[in-house]
Each structure stands twice: as C-alpha cells, then as structure tokens.
Amino acid sequence: MGTVSFVKNAQGMVGRAVRRALVLGAATGLAMTAMVSAAGAATPDSWEKEDPMPMIEVLGIYAGIPLAMFGLITLLVFTPSLIRGSGSRPGGSWQAESEWFGARPASDSTGGEESTSGAKASLEAPSNPTQGGAGGQW
Amino acid sequence: MASGDTFSPRERDELDRAVRVAGEFSGLSFSAYVGEPDGDFRSYAEHLHAALPNAARSVLVAVDPRGRQLEIVTGKEARRVLSDADCQLVILGMQSAFAGGDLVGGLVTGIQQLGEHARQPPTVHTDEP
C-alpha cells in the first residue's frame, strides 16, 4: 500500500516538474525570439555608412594573424633544441679531443698523447696503493 | 685548448660549476676527464690522477664515452672522507644516467654527489674544554 501511494506521489511530482519545465522553456523561447527580432533591425539611417572592409584586410586579420602566431609559437618551441643541437650521447659517437674540467695535470695539455706520456713519466708504478675509488661500465 | 664540438658552452659551464661547487663543498680538489684512455682505463685514470697538482687531496672522475667506462680515483687524503663504498654508490647513479644517454647530467650529478659525500661537518668548539 505504502509503495503504491509513494509511486503515485512520485508520478505527480514528476508531472509537475515537467509542466514547470515546459512553461519555463516556452517563456524563455518567447523572450529570445523577441530579442532576436529587435537585434535584427537595420542600423539607423542617421549613422554614416562605412565601406565594407577590403578583402586583403579581412584575410590579414582572420588568416594572417593566426598564421603569424602559429609560426611564432612553433619557432619559440623549437629554437631551444635547435640551439642546443644534438648534444653528446654516450657510446660510439665520441669524436673529439679529451676534455678536462676542474684541475688538470700540471703538464697543461688537453690530454691525448702528450699528457699520457707526461703522466706516465711522472708515475712509474701502474697501480698506486694510496689511491682509492671505484669504477664501472655501462 | 683544442675544444671539440662535443660539449656545448652551456654544458661546459654546468660541468665547470659542478666541479667548483663540489670542491667548495668538500674542501677537496675535483677534476673531471672525458676522453679516451691509452690502454687500461683504470690504470690510465690513476696515471692522470697522479699527475694532478695536489693529487693526495684530489678526486678524479674519468669517463670514456666511447668505451662506456667510468672511473673515480681518490687521492690518499681524499680517500679518508670519500670511501670507496661512497664512490661505488656514485658510480651506480652515473651508470644509470649514462645508460639513459645523459652524459652531462650523469657527470654533473655524480660530481655533486661526490662533493656531498665528502662533506665534513665543521668541527665547532674544539678549542673549548
């Protein structure tokens, strides 16, 4: 019994809601139509008439500016990586002279043959027990 | 100095800064060598390290990009604050960075970590009873 009355009640509520929505929609539609017809009125004759924009100008504004922005943004995005270049990658691609950062051997050479011979001359034993560290490969 | 086109000026700058900051941080002298070895890489790196001025307090990070090898060599005094285990830990981090293709980033991070490992807290109040 309770469920039946609840269902009926619910149906009544739904019906009321639908009716209210219909009324609201109709009112809104009417108002919109009225506004549209008002906006559709021609410009007053007292206003001075302007010539239509030249096609060049229209194209410039609606196509030229977006294209220019497109180009500018593309340029901004790609410029840093273009400047940076391909960079240095480990393995295989090492073409250049050896490089030092920080303090370098006293022979003041950039490495290669001379520095090697200098370093070897200054140290006769291949392994120095006072040196520590670690090594590895990748 | 015959500068190759392998490092951009910016990368060079980053590496120089990393070496300098690690040195200031730890009081040791840091050097990084990127290039090819002449023979065995470990002994070559040790030779290079021994030729450094003030080698006892120097830490050399040597990388052979073509042979995919890297070595950290510490001097006699540097070894007291930068143990071989610390170096091994840094090597692991650098290996993974290098394997990912980031030579400069791995070097910079590795040098920074070495500087941090070697950092000794300042001893205060030693002159007080």
Side-chain angles (χ1 to χ4, degrees), chain A residues 80 83-107 110-113 115-138, chain B residues 1-2 4 6-7 11-12 15-16 19 29-35 38 42-44 46-53 60 63-66 68-76 79 84 87-88 91 95 98-99 101 103-104:
Chain A
I83 290 174
R84 210 178 303 130
S86 60
S88 41
R89 299 271 175 276
S93 60
W94 194 257
Q95 305 286 338
E97 305 267 315
S98 50
E99 299 236 13
W100 276 98
F101 300 95
R104 62 196 68 201
S107 57
T110 55
E113 245 83 40
S115 124
T116 314
S117 54
K120 272 184 177 155
S122 68
L123 186 76
E124 65 286 354
S127 177
N128 192 339
T130 60
Q131 286 175 323
Q137 298 191 322
W138 76 89
Chain B
M1 173 177 177
T6 45
F7 290 122
E11 291 171 331
R12 237 173 267 270
L15 283 165
D16 278 332
V19 165
S29 165
F30 278 84
S31 303
Y33 170 83
V34 183
D38 190 44
R42 176 70 201 179
S43 54
Y44 182 67
E46 285 178 357
H47 285 310
L48 291 179
H49 179 271
L52 288 171
L60 172 68
V63 180
D64 172 17
R66 189 174 285 174
R68 292 174 167 267
Q69 299 176 87
L70 74 156
E71 290 288 342
I72 298 174
V73 188
T74 51
K76 188 179 169 188
R79 201 179 181 183
D84 292 358
C87 294
Q88 192 59 52
I91 290 274
Q95 278 173 326
F98 290 165
L103 182 62
V104 176

Side-chain angles (χ1 to χ4, degrees), chain B residues 81-101:
Chain B
V81 288
L82 197 59
S83 70
D84 292 358
D86 289 336
C87 294
Q88 192 59 52
L89 200 63
V90 174
I91 290 274
L92 286 177
M94 291 172 79
Q95 278 173 326
S96 58
F98 290 165

Side-chain angles (χ1 to χ4, degrees), chain A residues 72-91:
Chain A
L72 181 72
I73 292 169
T74 311
L75 202 70
L76 283 177
V77 167
F78 281 103
T79 306
S81 55
L82 284 178
I83 290 174
R84 210 178 303 130
S86 60
S88 41
R89 299 271 175 276

Side-chain angles (χ1 to χ4, degrees), chain A residues 44-56:
Chain A
D45 292 335
S46 54
W47 293 11
E48 63 181 69
K49 295 264 189 255
E50 290 219 17
D51 295 334
M53 279 167 83
M55 203 56 188
I56 302 282

